[in-house]
Amino acid sequence: MLRKRIERQVLSISGLALGGIDFEKPAGDPGLFGPDSITWRIHGDFSSMLCGGVSALLLQMLHPLALAGVWDHSSFRQDMLGRLRRTSQFISATTFAPVNDANTLIEKVKSIHLRVTGTDAYGTPYAASDPDLLVWVHVAEAYSFLQSHLRYRNPSLSLSDQNRYYQEFSRVAESLGAVNVPASVAAVEDYLQAMRPQLRCDERTREVVRLLQNAPAPSRLAKPVGSLMISAGIELLPDWAAAQLGISFSPRKRCRIRFATRRIAGVLRWAVRNGSWHRAMRRMGRLS
């Protein structure tokens, strides 16, 4: 059946492919946010989250310390799909998993961060547990997820709900050790502008772009869709970040990417009926 084939392809690149977490038990466990949260609503749409995740990674890698940590301590260059699955699992679990599973994963990541230390290409020491660096990584993610949701899921999301999303989702960053996390649309915009002088693009940053653009797909069927979603994530970057990365799109190409992504996103929403959001909603008795 076509729908199930598409769903299998989608779930194969999600955090669910890693297993280890039961999103459907125990019944009634609301997780860290609960089904009425704006975080569940935004993170529950796989299509926009995938585009946002691509954009977030590129935005994060403009920070030389974030880039160094990933470059020195991650296998993403050899295993891009693995990196995508692990990141997806962390986001989906901290959003939708039962409380104990979410907190266990947060503690696991905190312990990993303690081992991620070194010196970047410019001689500056870094540590993944650095509260300021944790803020950068979180804000790049939250901003990108929200921008993708506004473009590909709900462009009418109210400003109050956008602010509520930043407020809710900051809880995860704070649990990891971040402090003074921007928690409103205005605060995030101010923070990004204030961070721009610290951001750099070098050959390693450009290599990340190349790796993303040539990322493997789980099958030949998924390859064109994956390429489109990666292009949509790159196109989602703020203009200043795209310019720093040396990326540009003609107005016609932007329109083609956005039109095609909206069409594909509709197909994926039709096909996926057993994602993390669906399982968590069943756990809460909100979905049969």
Side-chain angles (χ1 to χ4, degrees), residues 20 24 29 70 117 147 183 207:
E24 299 196 44
D29 188 315
V70 171
T117 60
Q147 296 310 304
E207 177 65 11

Side-chain angles (χ1 to χ4, degrees), residues 2 17 39 52 79 98 121 130 138 171 186 221 228 232 235 239 249 280:
L2 178 61
T39 304
D79 185 20
D130 176 9
H138 168 79
R171 177 177 177 180
L221 174 68
L228 172 63
E235 192 269 335
D239 290 343
F249 295 92

Side-chain angles (χ1 to χ4, degrees), residues 4-24:
K4 289 188 176 180
R5 284 186 66 195
I6 295 173
E7 182 177 51
R8 281 196 298 270
Q9 294 293 315
V10 170
L11 297 185
S12 74
I13 64 171
S14 76
L16 289 171
L18 299 177
I21 296 175
D22 187 347
F23 286 84
E24 299 196 44

